[in-house]
C-alpha cells in the first residue's frame, strides 16, 4: 500500500498523519481501510474509546462499517488472535451477530492481518472471512473471501 493511501486511511480514522509506523490494532484498521477504499463505498470507523481509554466495538462486533449501494458490511479487524474472536461471536456476542445477520442486506466480515516473508521482505497479508448464520450455528465451514486466505489455513 502506498504512503498516500495510508495517509488517506489514517485521516479517515480522524487522527493526524505522522509518517511513522503504527503498531497494534490501529495499524491493522488502517491497512483494512486502504484495501477497501478502492471499492465504490463509504467507510466509517465505528469503534469508540470511553473516558478511561477502553475501546468498544459497535454492537460489540465491528471496528468499521462499510456501506455499498446494495449492502452494508460490518468489519472486525484483528491480528493473529482469530480464534478468540470466533469464540466470542459464537458465545456471548452471538445474539448481536444473529440480529445483524437477520437483515438480508447486511454482511459480517473478519479481517485478520499477518506479516509473512516474501522475497526477503515482510508483507502484510489479510485473511478475510465472511461470517454467516450457518457458520455461527456450526453448520458450515468458514467462507474465505480473499484469494490469499488459504495461506492461513492449518
Amino acid at each position: 500500500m502506498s504512503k498516500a493511501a495510508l495517509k488517506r486511511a489514517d485521516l479517515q480514522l480522524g487522527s493526524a498523519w505522522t509518517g511513522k509506523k503504527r503498531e497494534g490494532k490501529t495499524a491493522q484498521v488502517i491497512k483494512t481501510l486502504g484495501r477497501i477504499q478502492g471499492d465504490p463505498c463509504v467507510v466509517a470507523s465505528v469503534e469508540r474509546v470511553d473516558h478511561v481509554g477502553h475501546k468498544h466495538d459497535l454492537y460489540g462486533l465491528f471496528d468499521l462499517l462499510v456501506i455499498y449501494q446494495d449492502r452494508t458490511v460490518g468489519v472486525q479487524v484483528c491480528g493473529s488472535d482469530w480464534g478468540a474472536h470466533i469464540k466470542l461471536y459464537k458465545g456471548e456476542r452471538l445474539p448481536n451477530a444473529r440480529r445483524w445477520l437477520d437483515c438480508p442486506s447486511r454482511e459480517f466480515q473478519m479481517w485478520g492481518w499477518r506479516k509473512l516473508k516474501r522475497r526477503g521482505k515482510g508483507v502484510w497479508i489479510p485473511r478475510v472471512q465472511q461470517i454467516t448464520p450457518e457458520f455461527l450455528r456450526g453448520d458450515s465451514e468458514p467462507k474465505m473471501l480473499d484469494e490469499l486466505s488459504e495461506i492461513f489455513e492449518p
Side-chain angles (χ1 to χ4, degrees):
M1 182 182 320
S2 72
K3 199 169 191 176
L6 282 174
K7 183 176 179 179
R8 280 192 309 276
D10 200 31
L11 289 173
Q12 190 160 359
L13 283 174
S15 55
W17 173 254
T18 61
K20 297 178 184 175
K21 288 185 178 179
R22 292 196 173 235
E23 300 295 327
K25 187 162 183 177
T26 303
Q28 295 161 353
V29 170
I30 291 170
K31 286 183 198 74
T32 304
L33 279 171
R35 203 78 183 301
I36 292 172
Q37 281 183 337
D39 299 339
C41 61
V42 177
V43 184
S45 175
V46 291
E47 186 178 53
R48 68 177 174 82
V49 181
D50 65 16
H51 67 284
V52 187
H54 296 127
K55 292 184 177 184
H56 300 277
D57 297 339
L58 180 67
Y59 310 128
L61 301 172
F62 310 124
D63 297 319
L64 300 172
L65 203 58
V66 185
I67 301 172
Y68 293 93
Q69 186 173 1
D70 59 343
R71 61 194 163 100
T72 303
V73 181
V75 178
Q76 173 58 249
V77 180
C78 66
S80 57
D81 56 342
W82 195 266
H85 282 84
I86 295 296
K87 190 175 179 180
L88 270 175
Y89 302 139
K90 288 185 171 186
E92 69 181 69
R93 296 186 183 158
L94 182 60
N96 287 354
R98 281 187 176 153
R99 265 187 223 107
W100 177 262
L101 292 170
D102 278 345
C103 180
S105 64
R106 292 186 191 149
E107 296 178 14
F108 182 1
Q109 295 178 2
M110 271 189 60
W111 287 58
W113 290 90
R114 186 168 131 189
K115 196 170 190 177
L116 300 175
K117 289 264 184 185
R118 293 283 186 254
R119 298 183 187 132
K121 290 185 173 185
V123 178
W124 287 96
I125 303 292
R127 174 186 185 185
V128 183
Q129 178 180 343
Q130 182 82 32
I131 305 291
T132 62
E134 296 78 23
F135 173 73
L136 291 173
R137 283 193 307 265
D139 295 342
S140 71
E141 293 295 315
K143 180 181 176 188
M144 296 302 171
L145 299 177
D146 195 280
E147 65 276 0
L148 299 174
S149 292
E150 69 272 3
I151 292 172
F152 288 80
E153 294 302 311

